[in-house]
């Protein structure tokens, strides 16, 4: 595959990171930075953070090396892994929700190297750091979810990427609003089953840091 995107929905940060480590090791994917588990270089206590969504991208971006990931809060009901390989044939390929323990027996080198504050070690040879974004903290309903930046134009690009496949499946999608805390609100019409794939694909988009998708 030219690129592999992973979307991990887990009950807490510890489980999510362990699943990320196992999948990255088993699939021999690159390891980069993990954003969202520290603030200003200081490791955060994630024990009460709640459920998480981890978005992994095997390719480098303008700000991160190959294999970087973003951890954010997640209020959805799904638990498992969305696997999205780019095969270079202009098709949209996504498989999920796959079991989190699919590679549970994989030796990812957990615990064999020490981590400095703000760093989560994926293997003895390479760690992933969380030194770019303060982590979003859970708040009351309607409140902000954190300081993750999301620009409307980037969100529009993420939606536009999906349109050909959505329209081919008999649906339509339009961006209504993109909020500074990472939420996108979209107007959707079409088969209900498409919503699950749209939600995961938008969260996994390398164009924007999308933490939540709301269908209007």
């Amino acid at each position: 595959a030219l690129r592999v995107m992973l979307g991990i929905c887990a009950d807490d940060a510890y489980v999510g990171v362990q699943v990320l480590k196992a999948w990255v090791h088993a699939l021999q994917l690159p390891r980069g930075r993990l954003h969202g588990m520290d603030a200003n270089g200081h490791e955060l206590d994630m024990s009460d953070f709640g459920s998480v969504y981890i978005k992994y991208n095997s390719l480098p971006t303008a700000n991160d090396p190959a294999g970087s990931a973003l951890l954010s809060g997640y209020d959805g009901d799904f638990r498992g892994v969305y696997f999205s390989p780019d095969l270079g044939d202009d098709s949209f390929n996504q498989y999920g929700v796959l079991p989190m323990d699919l590679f549970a027996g994989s030796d990812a080198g957990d615990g064999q190297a020490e981590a400095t504050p703000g760093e989560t070690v994926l293997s003895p040879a390479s760690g992933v750091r969380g030194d770019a974004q303060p982590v979003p903290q859970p708040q009351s309903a309607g409140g902000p979810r954190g300081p993750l930046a999301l620009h409307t134009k980037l969100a529009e690009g993420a939606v536009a990427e999906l349109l050909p496949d959505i329209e081919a499946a008999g649906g339509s999608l339009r961006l209504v609003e993109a909020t500074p805390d990472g939420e996108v609100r979209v107007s959707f019409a079409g088969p209900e089953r498409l919503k699950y794939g749209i939600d995961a694909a938008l969260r996994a988009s390398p164009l924007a840091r999308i933490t939540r998708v709301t269908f209007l």
Side-chain angles (χ1 to χ4, degrees), residues 28-52:
Q28 299 183 9
L29 298 172
R31 302 172 178 89
R33 296 188 176 115
L34 174 60
H35 301 292
M37 293 186 68
D38 79 315
N40 300 319
H42 298 286
E43 188 174 7
L44 295 172
D45 180 5
M46 304 293 289
S47 57
D48 297 325
F49 183 72
S51 56
V52 301

Side-chain angles (χ1 to χ4, degrees), residues 135-185:
V135 69
Q137 296 293 333
Q139 300 193 22
S140 59
R145 293 191 53 107
L148 299 177
L150 179 66
H151 299 290
T152 298
K153 287 191 178 296
L154 295 178
E156 288 175 345
V159 170
E161 261 195 342
L162 304 182
L163 285 180
D165 291 308
I166 294 172
E167 291 173 352
S172 66
L173 187 69
R174 178 176 60 86
L175 177 69
V176 175
E177 183 182 8
T179 67
D181 62 357
E183 179 185 8
V184 294
R185 298 167 185 167

